[in-house]
Amino acid sequence: MKHIYMAVLATFFVFNAIAQSVASFDDLTLAPGSYWNGSDQSGSFKSGGITFNNSYSTDYQSWFGFAYSNQTDVTTAGYTNLYSAITGQGFNGSANYAVCYSVPTARVGYAVPTKTTGFYVTNSTYAYLSMKNGDAWAKKFGGDTGNDPDYFKLLIEGLDDNGLPVDTVSFYLADFRFADNSKDYILNQWT
């Protein structure tokens, strides 16, 4: 079975915990059509009391972990459009949302151990169009025939108080492994 692994962006929106901590990202200030990517070297940001890690490289002017954005470009393909969700907005019409580049990992943290009960996710415009059409870095998902069993899987790992894994959840941002190609999909809505 052939797998395509892509180091691309996925976007996140709400983390809802037992203590009712909700990161809506609307508590973060941004000029219209802009983003925060950690270039200030702060190493993280907070929304709703939840901390989102960020690592910015001044040498390469690049980052991993989380950024946040209110960009709305759903048509521009490629790495010049790193900060737009394919939905063109945050969950439920929100202006702001978080963007995740999880290479090697992205982490969220709470002030006290918390059980996360859910969050919303979709693809970035960059990831969506790369998988849909192919580009200089990746081929079109499904290949020319549509039969290549490609997928883009998000792995979410829960850690205990000591930082040890207690559970892992897999979520497919795109899945072309179905025998019936009409079931193949690339996520383009908040789920």
Side-chain angles (χ1 to χ4, degrees):
M1 179 179 290
K2 187 176 183 182
H3 304 279
I4 301 298
Y5 297 97
M6 298 174 45
V8 293
L9 302 172
T11 55
F12 292 72
F13 177 65
V14 173
F15 288 81
N16 185 2
I18 296 281
Q20 295 304 310
S21 296
V22 177
S24 70
F25 307 106
D26 285 332
D27 55 345
L28 303 170
T29 304
L30 283 174
S34 66
Y35 59 86
W36 175 93
N37 66 1
S39 62
D40 63 3
Q41 297 292 297
S42 60
S44 67
F45 65 90
K46 286 186 179 185
S47 178
I50 302 169
T51 302
F52 297 82
N53 81 309
N54 172 281
S55 181
Y56 186 88
S57 168
T58 55
D59 292 339
Y60 298 102
Q61 297 180 346
S62 64
W63 59 277
F64 71 85
F66 291 91
Y68 57 92
S69 173
N70 61 20
Q71 293 193 336
T72 60
D73 184 349
V74 298
T75 59
T76 303
Y79 66 88
T80 61
N81 190 12
L82 294 177
Y83 302 98
S84 294
I86 192 58
T87 58
Q89 60 187 353
F91 174 74
N92 207 21
S94 174
N96 293 348
Y97 52 88
V99 181
C100 180
Y101 184 60
S102 60
V103 176
T105 60
R107 293 183 178 262
V108 289
Y110 303 94
V112 296
T114 304
K115 181 177 180 180
T116 301
T117 59
F119 60 92
Y120 291 89
V121 63
T122 191
N123 281 299
S124 66
T125 301
Y126 175 35
Y128 179 86
L129 294 176
S130 175
M131 291 182 280
K132 181 179 179 187
N133 304 319
D135 58 24
W137 313 109
K139 72 173 187 67
K140 173 183 172 179
F141 269 37
D144 292 336
T145 65
N147 294 325
D148 291 357
D150 302 319
Y151 62 87
F152 185 29
K153 180 169 56 172
L154 174 65
L155 295 174
I156 304 120
E157 186 174 62
L159 306 175
D160 67 13
D161 296 353
N162 298 314
L164 299 173
V166 293
D167 197 9
T168 301
V169 175
S170 298
F171 183 82
Y172 289 87
L173 295 161
D175 195 349
F176 281 67
R177 298 173 302 145
F178 300 97
D180 177 356
N181 289 350
S182 69
K183 295 180 180 179
D184 295 345
Y185 68 89
I186 304 171
L187 188 66
N188 64 357
Q189 60 188 350
W190 290 103
T191 304

